[in-house]
């Protein structure tokens, strides 16, 4: 590969990473009203890794989190800042990075690519739930006293399972169609 081609490839990588960090921000701003409102943040994570692949997708998640950490309002409700990450739901946002890392690691597993991509999204979601729930319990308990796992799961996980499964299905379908356009 020539120097010009390598530079062009790196430039495309940077642009794709930035574009998908913005897509995640837009997804976080979209709030769908329900008994417990939910956003499309996890959809943004799934679509970034699904289309860009593990390395670039994970980097776009990292850029999204870092932008939010420095105060750019990329998180749900047009919020940002280290306070959001240190709050009760910050563990779910940081969990997005672990989800992306798991999905990246699972790219190399043998098996049919379609099945492995769906399984990696499901496992990534479970990792995000686990990290975010543990974080929520710690932060909430420090501020308000002890809270049980079943209670936290009822607040933070169970209401989101069906919407997150729908997001996985949509992200898989879109990433399958769009990945061929991203070099």
């Amino acid at each position: 590969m020539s120097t010009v081609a390598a530079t062009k490839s790196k430039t495309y990588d940077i642009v794709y990473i930035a574009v998908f960090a913005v897509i995640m921000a837009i997804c976080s701003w979209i709030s769908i009203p329900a008994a417990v409102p939910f956003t499309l943040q996890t959809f943004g994570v799934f679509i970034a890794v699904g289309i860009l692949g593990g390395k670039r997708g994970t980097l776009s998640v990292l850029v999204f989190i870092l932008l939010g950490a420095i105060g750019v309002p990329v998180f749900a409700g047009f919020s940002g800042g280290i306070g959001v990450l240190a709050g009760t739901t910050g563990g779910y946002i940081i969990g997005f990075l672990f989800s992306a890392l798991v999905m990246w690691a699972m790219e190399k597993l043998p098996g049919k690519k379609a099945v492995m991509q769906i399984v990696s999204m499901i496992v990534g979601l479970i990792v995000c739930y686990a990290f975010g729930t543990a974080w929520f319990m710690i932060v909430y308990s420090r501020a308000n006293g002890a809270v049980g796992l079943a209670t936290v799961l009822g607040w933070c996980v169970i209401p989101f399972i069906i919407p997150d499964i729908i997001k996985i299905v949509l992200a898989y379908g879109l990433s399958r169609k769009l990945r061929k356009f991203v070099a």
Side-chain angles (χ1 to χ4, degrees), residues 36-80:
V36 177
F38 62 93
T39 66
L40 298 178
Q41 289 178 107
T42 51
F43 174 78
V45 173
F46 298 142
I47 202 80
V49 179
I51 292 175
L52 297 180
K55 181 180 179 181
R56 294 183 299 177
T58 300
L59 287 171
S60 68
V61 173
L62 179 62
V63 167
F64 167 76
I65 293 170
L66 291 174
L67 285 170
I70 63 169
V72 179
V74 296
F75 301 142
F78 295 95
S79 62

Side-chain angles (χ1 to χ4, degrees), residues 107-156:
E107 280 181 348
K108 304 298 181 206
L109 294 177
K112 295 187 179 206
K113 284 232 183 250
V115 172
M116 287 312 298
Q117 187 175 10
I118 292 169
V119 169
S120 76
M121 288 179 183
I122 292 168
V123 172
L125 180 63
I126 292 168
V127 166
C128 183
Y129 281 163
F131 190 84
T133 300
W135 184 286
F136 185 97
M137 289 180 73
I138 291 166
V139 174
Y140 185 89
S141 294
R142 285 185 182 160
N144 303 300
V147 63
L149 177 61
T151 302
V152 175
L153 290 174
W155 291 341
C156 302

